[in-house]
Amino acid sequence: MTDTAPPPASATDPTPGTSPADSRYANEDLRPVPLAERRWTTYNFVALWVGMAHCIPSWTLASGLVALGMDWKQAVLTIGLANVIVLGPMLLTGHAGPKYGIPFPVLARASFGVRGANLPAMVRAAVACCWFGIQTWIGGQGIFVLLGKIFGGWADAARIGGYPWTLWLCFVVFWVLELAIIHRGMDTLRRFENWAAPFVLVGAVVLLVWIANKAGGFGPLLHEPSKVGWGADFWKVFFPGLMGMIGFWSTLSLNIPDFTRFGKGQRAQVLGQSLGLPTTMTLFALMSVLVTAGSEKVYGVAIWDPVALAGKTDNVFGLLFALVTVFVATISVNLAANVVSPAYDLANLAPKHITFRTGAVITGVVGVLVMPWKLTSTPELYIFTWLGVVGGLLGTVAGILIADYWIVRRTVLDVTDLYVAGGRYWYAGGWNPRAVAAFLTGGVLAVGGSYSTLDARGEKAGPFPTDGIIPFLKPLADYGWAVGLGTSLVLYAVLMAGRRTPPGPARR
């Protein structure tokens, strides 16, 4: 599946002066990508999503829902619906990439202002840094568990900070390898994703066949009953679970222009994402819930971590294959989803001092400092608290971007003004107060009611009060992404009504 046609006439090719060389708001990483360098095809976008979806955290999304009481049908329905929903804003924000060749933080300048764009960019960068740390910890942990099974004794090593030093070693080695790959640039990432995607899919299928064989076939897995039924108990898990699933990819719904700016045209990004995201995530969810249900049949407890499950085998070849699969899967998603965005976002913060590669290194350092091992300690904390809050904040930013680009601008941007002071996107000192007002309002409504649930022992599983940060907003917390996106989209469109600036010179 490839696209051989040249970019459509609707795409713009940056001309000399589009992003002035002496502008303090531009560097080589932030300038528009020339048409000749927009080479990503439909297959490249499909492979990108397959590589990102087939990872341990997305596996634990589905298996975590099973661990919380859903059966396989309920979990797959929740994840499939979430990814169809999040695909919408993904395609809407991705449109600016092939058309103008600009990354997310530059697109955000149109709505937040040339300086104000640092607000959503830093929110996105902070989330990505946390995700980078989570993925790197999970990858290092996977290598630790599997190598420990092969060589033995790793878990008995001296402890540092509560964990064996051998686990810290795996974590650091994995961290260094990731940054070494991204240092080579976006084209290397594209090639890596092309072959990583099918390899990881094969690994997931192998794990499914193995557990089905131990469970006595697929029949027992498909007939495992739901512990929450379809009544009130189901809806208590479904809605926060749905928002958590949306929150998982709400990160990419913001910074997808970082990738689509390299696309040959709108057809490549629309088809590639539509074929790659919802179908892949739903299929992967089906495999993960079946495997988790199988683990409960075989071992008497739902094992929602695929690394821990793979570690149950004593077959050396199987362990080595699982080790390579974990390695490839985690690097595939972590580089694409969690390094590219903050690298651009941090470059936007100080274009003359921070390059894409420097931003990647900063991301790696912050990803360690956030102590990612605490964020994935329980499915309650992972799905309800972490993903719910992230989804609420990022949904608020997405609503503003969509309203500005599609309703206020009608997809027409003055690219040059995105890189200069005093132009149409300068607003008040480089900030658009209307965008900030919409962001703050949507953000408070989306996450102000965030609360912590109780774990199986009846203890609080999270940092928030059980009755919510702002108690009267608690009912909105389970719908954080939708509340944030809807509120900010409508409010920003209303505040900007009649203020659309027509195309043409506006610099003073």
Side-chain angles (χ1 to χ4, degrees):
M1 185 187 303
T2 60
D3 294 281
T4 57
S10 58
T12 62
D13 197 10
T15 56
T18 297
S19 53
D22 59 346
S23 172
R24 60 178 297 188
Y25 303 105
N27 65 20
E28 290 304 317
D29 297 311
L30 297 177
R31 289 190 176 93
V33 176
L35 282 177
E37 297 178 18
R38 302 179 199 175
R39 295 189 290 262
W40 286 39
T41 65
T42 298
Y43 175 77
N44 293 138
F45 285 108
V46 170
L48 176 73
W49 276 113
V50 172
M52 289 197 294
H54 291 165
C55 64
I56 296 173
S58 62
W59 180 284
T60 57
L61 284 178
S63 58
L65 290 177
V66 172
L68 291 170
M70 287 189 177
D71 64 15
W72 73 271
K73 297 184 294 295
Q74 293 169 332
V76 172
L77 170 66
T78 303
I79 290 177
L81 179 60
N83 284 280
V84 169
I85 292 173
V86 81
L87 178 65
M90 198 86 67
L91 298 178
L92 291 175
T93 54
H95 184 277
K99 184 169 184 178
Y100 296 105
I102 55 176
F104 155 66
V106 174
L107 173 63
R109 294 174 181 179
S111 51
F112 282 85
V114 175
R115 287 176 173 169
N118 286 314
L119 172 61
M122 288 300 99
V123 170
R124 174 65 182 96
V127 171
C129 289
C130 291
W131 268 122
F132 177 82
I134 289 173
Q135 293 274 15
T136 304
W137 176 255
I138 289 174
Q141 198 173 38
I143 293 174
F144 166 79
V145 170
L146 297 174
L147 285 180
K149 286 284 292 185
I150 296 173
F151 299 111
W154 282 49
D156 299 325
R159 293 181 171 263
I160 300 175
Y163 296 95
W165 70 264
T166 45
L167 173 55
W168 291 114
L169 176 63
C170 292
F171 177 61
V172 171
V173 169
F174 199 74
W175 180 87
V176 171
L177 287 173
E178 289 177 313
L179 293 186
I181 292 175
I182 198 63
H183 183 76
R184 298 184 62 85
M186 288 292 289
D187 206 46
T188 299
L189 175 64
R190 176 178 63 87
R191 292 194 296 269
F192 180 81
E193 296 289 348
N194 284 346
W195 71 265
F199 181 86
V200 175
L201 180 58
V202 170
V205 171
V206 169
L207 187 60
L208 175 61
V209 172
W210 172 69
I211 196 66
N213 181 62
K214 292 182 73 69
F218 289 99
L221 310 188
L222 295 172
H223 292 91
E224 189 71 17
S226 168
K227 294 182 177 63
V228 296
W230 289 95
D233 290 339
F234 167 74
W235 299 113
K236 291 177 182 178
V237 178
F238 172 76
F239 283 113
L242 180 69
M243 292 300 109
M245 302 307 108
I246 292 174
F248 188 74
W249 289 127
S250 65
T251 52
L252 268 293
S253 69
L254 290 188
N255 76 285
I256 196 64
D258 293 343
F259 299 95
T260 60
R261 66 193 297 231
F262 297 98
K264 282 193 170 184
Q266 297 299 341
R267 179 176 180 273
Q269 74 103 359
V270 171
L271 280 180
Q273 294 200 82
S274 299
L275 293 173
L277 172 58
T279 55
T280 298
M281 280 295 292
T282 303
L283 175 62
F284 204 55
L286 176 60
M287 288 192 288
S288 67
V289 296
L290 290 178
V291 170
T292 304
S295 71
E296 191 164 21
K297 277 289 183 184
V298 175
Y299 300 107
V301 60
I303 303 175
W304 69 306
D305 182 351
V307 173
L309 183 59
K312 294 285 187 180
T313 182
D314 293 319
N315 184 286
V316 174
F317 174 79
L319 287 168
L320 287 173
F321 180 77
L323 180 66
V324 175
T325 302
V326 167
F327 177 81
V328 173
T330 307
I331 286 185
S332 176
V333 66
N334 216 14
L335 298 186
N338 304 316
V339 177
V340 173
S341 174
Y344 282 127
D345 296 338
L346 291 164
N348 187 71
L349 185 64
K352 294 303 181 184
H353 303 286
I354 302 177
T355 64
F356 178 84
R357 289 176 172 83
T358 305
V361 173
I362 295 173
T363 300
V365 173
V366 176
V368 175
L369 297 178
V370 297
M371 296 187 291
W373 43 90
K374 294 186 178 293
L375 290 176
T376 55
S377 56
T378 68
E380 291 88 357
L381 177 61
Y382 179 49
I383 293 177
F384 291 171
T385 304
W386 164 243
L387 291 179
V389 171
V390 165
L393 287 176
L394 298 185
T396 301
V397 177
I400 294 171
L401 294 185
I402 293 169
D404 184 80
Y405 184 70
W406 288 94
I407 299 174
V408 177
R409 314 286 172 195
R410 302 291 201 274
T411 76
V412 177
L413 298 176
D414 184 320
V415 177
T416 301
D417 271 10
L418 293 171
Y419 295 91
V420 298
R424 72 182 71 242
Y425 309 120
W426 190 246
Y427 300 106
W431 288 75
N432 183 359
R434 299 171 187 84
V436 175
F439 172 76
L440 293 177
T441 303
V444 169
L445 292 177
V447 305
S450 296
Y451 62 94
S452 295
T453 57
L454 300 178
D455 60 21
R457 296 171 296 180
E459 299 177 358
K460 189 176 70 168
F464 306 124
T466 54
D467 59 349
I469 301 173
I470 304 175
F472 75 90
L473 292 179
K474 182 179 178 180
L476 299 180
D478 290 344
Y479 315 93
W481 180 83
V483 170
L485 186 143
T487 300
S488 63
L489 188 152
V490 172
L491 181 57
Y492 181 83
V494 170
L495 292 176
M496 293 293 289
R499 297 181 182 273
R500 178 171 179 257
T501 307
R507 291 172 292 283
R508 49 181 191 274

